[in-house]
């Protein structure tokens, strides 16, 4: 039987600023990746988010990002592999602190934003991130863009991986994500996104921007948590997947 | 036989800025408390410092501080107990990440600067810090000012404690540290500091500013690492302690 | 004829995080105090906010705060007068940069949050802030809590001042603001707040928590911009003031 | 008669961390570029540095950098032209605040580190920086790498410029700086650097890595302030220039 994880980024509030509606999305997903203070999140937000996820029984991951709060970790920075290693150990450790304090378990790591995108193509950076995760806890699952260098390097480091796909994003013929500026880069109709999600999981295929099918491996589906209808979209995705006979549960769950 | 720990703050460099001569001090101490990025330290500095301490076989502690880089964590801030709990979990977790990555063990936690001083007198804050440390790892030793609320609350939380004394600082008749502005607040002669250290450990007493003796419990002696002669002073302290028949080793070591 | 300024804090978004509905409030106020990056705001937000205020012809002020982004500048910190002087010069200068770039004028300075509250009672801190403002531009108006040390020290420094009152906050018999936790500390009915506003301006009086009247000087009324109905409340206040024959315009306008 | 400016970066300390020996270098240079808090410097350091420069009668410039304290502004970041415009206005404004508070004049702006290097080649970024400087004060001189896009865009924006050369750095045949890793990238002999400096000013030429001469325009010579012998090197450069009949004074001085 087919299975897939449904993941969402969480804990992206900071201080007095709120982002996302974590409480509304939590019931519909099976994994959450929690910001660790570098691009979003602060210690109080992390504690609150880990508690909420633990209460729901959702798998908890660390979501380390670049040290760029004002840019939300979305701006590329020339960090060296050694710097990336250290900042991933730091942030994964910090979240590990909260999962221990709450009495729950840290299950995975998913790099955020520009760090995720850079690690998809830069082998040295990807290898440094994978080593950092493994060195903190070799039982962690590393989430990365399906088909990317991060997946390859994580496997090379001996980690379990989850190949991530984005049902609401357009794909290029080479399996990469279409740039946000391009027509078709964003799939705005939830039912269309759900159909793509089901097809990626069941058939392992997604229609690329040139109309041809691309083969993708879909271990985990990303739901964006910052839109106004995030909870509705997560619920719809889950319902359509289950109707298609797909089990929705966390990696290793 | 009498025993005492000799501890020093370390890893207080940040980015391109250097502070302290950690490599020179390391051979002479038995415990180090490593800054965790809020008042000093950054991920790369933390990694380098944990590695150096592990190579020397010195006991490693986390040194969490207030989120005040420009003030080096020395300015009091009105953080609530809940905020203090979260920022201690975060920083201890981050350092735990590095000890795991390096394959060594986190042994203790010592709050830094204003957080240390505030927790010496504020019971609610002290209790929050103690719970944070216990919730991350109940085997950690909490370092606090001898006779302070932090020691009381740590014991109440079921943690092992190390009562800290400062051989180069003046004491008031009530056992508190003399304010830095007062005459006699700083003991600048290393031999005098060493004599005070030996007496605190062997007799459990220190001469207060009014000339009378105060009873102190000395589980760990703080050596300041930021002066130009830090390594020499640490070596002298250790030598004089050993000559007096005191074993110098980390708590639980 | 009576006159009063209606002021609101603005530009409190930061990076990807939004706060307040500045565009909706702007048409109803005569002065805005713009966050300068230490407790809220970032360079892009500051530029956008200065442009929007300049287009509306609203008087623009700097809103410097403590360096505490995660605490939104609301946590007291033990900054020295010298540190306060420097951080006010820095932030006022930064906002001055934006008013020059946009081709408009910087009119006033209003300290934010804990800095405002600390400067209301601490004479040395108040004097340092007043000197900082005067040294950057002696033509600036300094906003401070009516009857506070900040007003006294600003006048002593030769600055023009605007005494600020809060129609939606309870007052103590000594003219200070009631602590937020106390019953009656917040006036939630907009019509009631408007009645208090009119009376403070026309009669120079407000009913304190013990029922007796307190004399207040009301040069500027603070409208809070972060509630869901901020724009409606600002409009109502302005309307009720104008119906009472009060001119609503910026200090010096 | 030939003339040139001798400039040095200053005010790069931060909080408790010291960098450079500004007091020792100040007597030997004619311009200083002062860090503005994003990559180095803090409000108290900026105040102290502006005061020291004003007392020496040295021309004062702002040295804005990328928001990357831990990386000292040396790591490239993908900031958009709009972001760069805003962060330059902010930082130049902040330093302008200090020059006004001290009663002196802001004379120039020199971007720092990665921002300087990116603006040397990226026309849109260079144009945004030039507009930011001009919009704050059209009388400011913009310092940029000789022959770079920043010089071109600053002139296009109507600003006065100072073309900067580096006597202790190797040059490529196209007039760009040799990468730090390459042999000959750093000129470590002070007399050799002085000879190169004199030749760049008097003949407008420098020997490139391939041995051939490159034509350079040298309005200002950069002295690095962070080495142990910075003051000695600055003094030697100035002496050798004066011996060669070159006037050493600030642009417009």
């Amino acid at each position: 039987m087919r299975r897939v994880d449904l993941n969402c980024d969480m804990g992206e509030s900071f201080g007095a600023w709120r982002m996302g509606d974590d409480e509304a999305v939590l019931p519909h997903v099976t994994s959450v990746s929690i910001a660790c203070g570098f691009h979003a999140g602060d210690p109080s937000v992390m504690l609150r988010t880990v508690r909420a996820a633990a209460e729901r029984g959702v798998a908890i991951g660390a979501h380390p990002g670049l040290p760029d709060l004002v840019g939300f970790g979305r701006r590329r920075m020339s960090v060296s592999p050694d710097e990336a290693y250290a900042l991933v150990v730091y942030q994964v450790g910090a979240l590990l602190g909260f999962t221990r304090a709450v009495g729950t378990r840290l299950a995975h790591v998913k790099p955020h934003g520009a760090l995720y995108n850079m690690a998809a193509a830069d082998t040295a950076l990807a290898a440094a991130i994978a080593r950092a995760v493994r060195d903190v806890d070799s039982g962690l699952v590393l989430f990365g863009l399906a088909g990317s260098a991060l997946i390859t390097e994580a496997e090379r480091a001996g980690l379990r991986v989850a190949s991530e796909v984005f049902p609401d994003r357009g794909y290029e013929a080479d399996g990469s994500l279409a740039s946000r500026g391009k027509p078709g880069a964003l799939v705005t109709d939830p039912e269309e996104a759900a159909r793509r999600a089901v097809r990626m999981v069941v058939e392992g295929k997604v229609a690329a921007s040139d109309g041809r099918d691309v083969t993708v491996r879909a271990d985990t589906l990303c739901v964006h948590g910052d839109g106004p209808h995030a909870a509705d979209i997560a619920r719809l995705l889950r319902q359509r997947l289950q109707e298609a006979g797909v089990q929705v549960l966390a990696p290793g769950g």
Side-chain angles (χ1 to χ4, degrees), chain A residues 26-237:
Chain A
L26 261 178
H28 308 298
V29 295
T30 45
S31 289
V32 291
S33 302
I34 299 177
C36 300
F38 275 43
H39 71 279
D42 67 51
S44 299
V45 168
M46 289 166 77
L47 176 58
R48 193 166 70 225
T49 310
V50 169
R51 278 189 181 141
E55 280 164 16
R56 283 283 176 180
V58 170
I60 293 172
H63 198 37
L66 293 175
D68 178 20
L69 202 60
V70 80
F72 204 69
R74 287 178 179 148
R75 300 188 291 195
R76 284 167 185 261
M77 282 178 75
S78 57
V79 294
S80 70
D82 283 352
E83 290 169 331
Y85 178 92
L87 65 82
V88 169
V89 169
Y90 184 100
Q91 294 180 71
V92 174
L95 198 68
L96 180 64
F98 287 104
T99 56
R100 293 177 66 114
V102 168
T104 185
R105 195 175 74 83
L106 184 64
H108 73 270
V109 175
K110 172 181 161 181
H112 165 83
L115 189 63
Y116 181 94
N117 293 328
M118 289 156 62
D122 180 332
T123 300
L125 190 70
I129 294 170
R131 280 197 313 273
V133 171
R134 181 201 64 196
D135 290 353
V136 175
D137 180 352
S138 61
L140 292 167
V141 178
L142 185 53
F143 285 30
L145 181 67
S148 73
L150 187 55
I151 294 295
T152 311
E153 294 305 316
E155 287 176 331
R156 199 186 308 259
L159 288 168
R160 284 181 298 151
V161 299
S163 291
E164 187 176 36
V165 294
F166 296 80
D168 63 355
R169 294 288 304 277
Y171 277 77
E172 300 293 353
D174 65 355
S176 66
L177 295 177
S179 299
R180 282 173 184 270
K182 292 184 65 172
L186 297 177
V187 178
T188 52
D189 173 24
E191 286 288 2
E192 167 68 8
R195 276 191 298 272
R196 290 167 71 90
V198 170
R199 191 161 180 248
M200 287 194 274
V201 177
V202 174
E203 300 181 31
K205 290 191 193 313
V206 64
S209 58
D210 66 354
R212 278 182 290 187
D213 279 350
V214 185
T215 299
V216 289
R217 176 175 177 91
D219 297 326
T220 184
L221 297 167
C222 184
V223 180
H224 289 102
D226 49 356
H229 308 299
D232 293 342
I233 293 169
R235 182 171 44 219
L236 180 72
L237 272 183

